[in-house]
Amino acid sequence: MEPESCLNPNQNDLLTEIDHQAPALIHVVTKASQLPPFFLEPSCEQNLVVGFDCEGVALARHGQLCIMQLAFNDGIYLVDALEGGGDLIQACRPALESAYVTKVIHDCKRDSEALFYQYGIRLNNVFDTQISYSLIEEQEGKTWKPDDHISFVDLLADERYCGISYNEKEEVRGLLKKNPEFWKQRPLTERMKRVAADDVKFLLHIHQKMVRKLGPLSRWQLKLRGSLYCRCFCVDAGVYQDWPDLPGPPDEIEAELSELQEILSAVDVPPGKMGYIIGKKGASILRIKESCKADIFTGGAKGPPDKVFVIGIMKEVRKAEAMLRGRIGVRSM
């Protein structure tokens, strides 16, 4: 029996449209044979689009992946990494690394990091709805601001894309603070199934809405930036050697490549120096972010503790690098 959705519609007519397109059935997967064959064996003839997310304990390089959610047009599959083990996740590797399968996800960085360090999987060809939202906003004239990354709850609430209230998400965050190992509970409770499914239930619908809004330039920027986000927390010696090539620009914007090509840089921070970069209550890194039109991330509690990651066009990244290295040389706050 399908768990009742915890997403509440703001408008009945909008819900009718979304329910028509959203997956309905929820399948718990513990064996690869329970997954659709067309997902396990991707091909260029399919051009498959899949809603995608991961849940786990302290999900990152040192955490534990517990569930991987896959949303198709006709159902949601909860891939149980604990019950199915490494063999089940490895069976998903071809699709997760395939250029023929678009993975629609909201903020791919930590999920990609977990897949890479725990299973050696290089997540590829993502449609990151967080990145897409920012590009559409800029495309429509909104001024860029640092750290202006929309949350998944706020994206669902935006009537241009979904118009759905996801109140239970906050409740689950409270549960995770009290019990960080919430996603390790087995058997999966109905609530766990419901929450996991709702994290991917509307991604395909949002993807369709966003694709209609994205212009040729924004589509390329989305693919490129998504590829860089997938690599972001995976920076170690030689880590990029076997990653797929970064997507090149379409012909109609190739002449603008020199100004628009984005790169990823990882700035090494000596032990004990991260505080100089962050500053009192984050004041120092905020000034750097405000001075450079680039995305700047630190590893935080999940790590890595010795690097700052910068994503943006070459000029802005080099500017951020210089400012970050300048802070490392400062002896007083």
Side-chain angles (χ1 to χ4, degrees), residues 29 31-40 70 72 77 79 88 91-92:
V29 176
K31 301 176 183 177
S33 59
Q34 296 169 316
L35 286 165
F38 56 80
F39 174 76
L40 295 173
L70 304 169
F72 300 91
Y77 292 75
V79 180
L88 176 58
C92 299

Side-chain angles (χ1 to χ4, degrees), residues 32 53 61 78 82 126 153 179 191 203 246 252 257 261 329:
D53 192 26
R61 62 181 62 194
L78 306 182
L82 300 186
V126 299
V153 172
N179 178 17
R191 186 179 201 183
L203 285 175
L246 293 172
E252 58 265 38
L257 175 61
Q261 178 78 46

Side-chain angles (χ1 to χ4, degrees), residues 72-305:
F72 300 91
N73 287 326
D74 61 351
I76 296 171
Y77 292 75
L78 306 182
V79 180
D80 192 333
L82 300 186
E83 294 293 323
D87 288 346
L88 176 58
I89 303 302
Q90 290 299 336
C92 299
R93 176 197 285 266
L96 298 179
E97 295 187 342
S98 175
Y100 305 132
V101 181
T102 299
K103 279 68 68 174
V104 184
I105 184 173
H106 190 84
D107 191 3
C108 64
K109 295 189 296 298
R110 289 300 187 184
D111 291 8
S112 178
E113 180 187 19
L115 288 168
F116 179 76
Y117 283 102
Q118 294 177 40
Y119 296 98
I121 293 172
R122 295 164 176 81
L123 188 61
N124 183 37
N125 192 27
V126 299
F127 184 106
D128 193 312
T129 55
Q130 188 178 73
I131 300 172
S132 178
Y133 184 92
S134 296
L135 288 169
I136 292 170
E137 293 292 287
E138 288 186 51
Q139 184 179 279
E140 296 178 352
K142 182 179 178 181
T143 303
W144 181 88
K145 295 179 182 177
D147 292 336
D148 192 16
H149 307 298
I150 192 167
S151 70
F152 186 54
V153 172
D154 288 343
L155 175 61
L156 286 176
D158 192 321
E159 294 185 2
R160 295 173 297 173
Y161 301 105
C162 229
I164 294 293
S165 176
Y166 193 178
N167 297 324
E168 193 170 14
K169 188 72 171 178
E170 293 302 323
E171 296 177 25
V172 172
R173 284 174 179 161
L175 286 174
L176 288 171
K177 287 182 180 178
K178 294 178 182 178
N179 178 17
E181 298 197 343
F182 173 79
W183 289 111
K184 288 181 72 173
Q185 297 177 54
R186 293 297 181 275
L188 293 171
T189 65
E190 292 303 299
R191 186 179 201 183
M192 292 171 75
K193 295 176 190 176
R194 182 177 69 240
V195 171
D198 281 342
D199 276 353
V200 295
K201 184 173 184 179
F202 296 110
L203 285 175
L204 297 183
H205 175 81
I206 293 170
H207 169 262
Q208 290 179 344
K209 293 273 188 176
M210 288 182 162
V211 164
R212 296 188 191 113
K213 291 176 175 286
L214 290 163
L217 172 59
S218 295
R219 290 185 188 186
W220 169 63
Q221 289 177 307
L222 173 61
K223 285 182 71 70
L224 176 58
R225 198 175 301 173
S227 297
L228 296 174
Y229 268 51
C230 282
R231 292 159 167 77
C232 182
F233 290 127
C234 300
V235 173
D236 278 325
V239 75
Y240 293 151
Q241 182 176 354
D242 298 320
W243 283 71
D245 293 337
L246 293 172
D251 294 339
E252 58 265 38
I253 62 169
E254 190 167 3
E256 305 172 64
L257 175 61
S258 60
E259 295 183 4
L260 298 174
Q261 178 78 46
E262 294 187 347
I263 62 171
L264 165 64
S265 173
V267 178
D268 291 318
V269 181
K273 293 296 183 75
M274 187 62 79
Y276 290 105
I277 286 176
I278 303 298
K280 189 175 182 180
K281 295 182 179 180
S284 296
I285 197 165
L286 179 60
R287 283 195 295 270
I288 296 173
K289 290 178 178 180
E290 290 174 340
S291 300
C292 309
K293 189 178 178 181
D295 289 330
I296 301 175
F297 305 104
T298 60
K302 294 181 180 179

